[in-house]
Amino acid sequence: MNSPNDNTSPKNSNHAPPPAKRGRKRDDNLPPNRARDVQRAFRARRASHLEELEERVVILEEENARFRVLLNLPPSDRPPLGTGPTGRGK
């Protein structure tokens, strides 16, 4: 009779491989401080890109408002940026 801890039971002989880890694989070839530097540089690039996009949105909204005046269209009914739940109003 097979006991629950017996490794010869049919249930235990067909182990499935452990599930694969999700997400991007870590590059273990980088030293830890270099990995931090790479991540810090990425965050800086991302923040810079976000600031550029926010500046561009402001410029385009002003341009849109000017065009609406020139074309005698009513003003946009959208709330200004930075006032919504995800806005960056400060």
Side-chain angles (χ1 to χ4, degrees):
M1 184 164 146
N2 291 336
S3 67
N5 295 331
D6 188 5
N7 288 335
T8 60
S9 71
K11 285 191 238 177
N12 292 338
S13 63
N14 295 328
H15 284 317
K21 291 184 180 178
R22 298 177 67 182
R24 187 173 179 175
K25 296 201 177 14
R26 183 174 171 183
D27 186 0
D28 291 330
N29 295 332
L30 293 175
N33 57 349
R34 171 129 165 86
R36 275 193 301 268
D37 293 342
V38 168
Q39 183 63 35
R40 186 176 297 124
F42 167 75
R43 288 186 189 123
R45 285 192 310 271
R46 183 177 60 186
S48 173
H49 182 64
L50 183 61
E51 288 176 11
E52 291 171 6
L53 289 175
E54 288 173 342
E55 290 172 8
R56 186 173 179 192
V57 165
V58 168
I59 291 168
L60 291 174
E61 284 182 339
E62 291 170 354
E63 183 180 2
N64 190 13
R66 284 194 307 271
F67 286 142
R68 285 180 166 278
V69 169
L70 288 173
L71 296 172
N72 295 322
L73 295 174
S76 174
D77 59 353
R78 288 188 218 114
L81 285 181
T83 60
T86 60
R88 299 183 74 179
K90 293 180 182 175

